[in-house]
Amino acid sequence: MHMRQTMNESPSVIDQLEHDHLTLTRLVEDLRVAIQDVLRGDREALDVRDELGEFLSVAEEELYEHFDREEQVLFPYITEVNPEAEAAIAKLEHAHDRMCGAMSRMARIVEQDDEGFASSFDALVALFARFDANFGRHAKEEVALFRSLGSRLEPAELERLRELLAQI
């Protein structure tokens, strides 16, 4: 009797995916608090500019490369071995686009002079909220997809998926 091994039996791959987003998750949480402080009037908008810059720097470094590898290598493999995943993959790619767009627009605001930054802070808050919501949902959907695939793939396909995930 042939038994398929599930990704749940080998959580290291999923754990690694969740860990990869941990640094960014912490920055998002810290920035969320800082923005709330500004909105409550406990801090000035300009006081959080450096935190926003750090967040954007880390987010761009971690996410752009991560998204590229997913879209160029991982996602095509998944749709090849499991065509039913195409809609889920399209949803993940769309989330990539929304997050990258929000980061790009936030970066333009952060790069403005002090007056421009302060006057655009409300727009920045809306962009950050959009990024925050998409990032949280995306991470959950990504892990759920990989877990569900783990129970459907043959051992050789599962091993290839593990290899691809390890590269991301």
Side-chain angles (χ1 to χ4, degrees):
M1 181 173 172
H2 175 71
M3 294 184 69
R4 288 187 183 179
Q5 181 180 10
T6 68
M7 290 184 77
N8 290 336
E9 293 170 9
S10 180
S12 62
V13 175
I14 298 299
D15 290 345
Q16 184 60 46
L17 276 174
E18 291 170 337
H19 182 266
D20 286 349
H21 292 302
L22 191 57
T23 301
L24 191 55
T25 298
R26 287 182 182 144
L27 282 174
V28 167
E29 290 168 358
D30 291 346
L31 192 51
R32 191 182 309 123
V33 170
I35 288 172
Q36 289 170 354
D37 288 347
V38 172
L39 295 175
R40 278 193 308 270
D42 296 339
R43 291 176 76 179
E44 294 297 319
L46 291 173
D47 293 342
V48 299
R49 187 182 208 159
D50 289 342
E51 290 171 65
L52 282 160
E54 179 187 354
F55 160 75
L56 289 168
S57 176
V58 171
E60 288 174 2
E61 183 177 315
E62 289 196 11
L63 289 182
Y64 287 153
E65 188 174 319
H66 177 87
F67 291 167
D68 255 1
R69 287 189 303 250
E70 282 184 339
E71 291 176 8
Q72 293 177 18
V73 178
L74 181 62
F75 291 170
Y77 176 74
I78 290 172
T79 55
E80 176 186 321
V81 298
N82 189 7
E84 302 86 42
E86 191 171 333
I89 294 296
K91 190 174 181 181
L92 291 174
E93 288 177 329
H94 188 62
H96 288 180
D97 293 344
R98 286 192 307 267
M99 285 184 279
C100 290
M103 286 189 304
S104 175
R105 292 175 64 199
M106 284 188 287
R108 285 197 304 266
I109 292 171
V110 169
E111 293 166 359
Q112 292 180 11
D113 63 19
D114 289 355
E115 185 179 326
F117 177 81
S119 68
S120 299
F121 191 76
D122 287 342
L124 191 137
V125 169
L127 289 166
F128 176 76
R130 184 178 309 152
F131 175 89
D132 188 11
N134 281 292
F135 178 73
R137 183 173 49 241
H138 174 74
K140 289 175 189 167
E141 289 172 351
E142 193 173 72
V143 168
L145 172 66
F146 297 141
R147 283 197 173 138
S148 74
L149 284 173
S151 64
R152 293 187 219 147
L153 298 180
E154 296 296 328
E157 295 168 332
L158 184 59
E159 185 55 36
R160 180 65 181 140
L161 178 60
R162 283 191 181 117
E163 291 169 7
L164 293 173
L165 289 171
Q167 295 172 22
I168 292 176

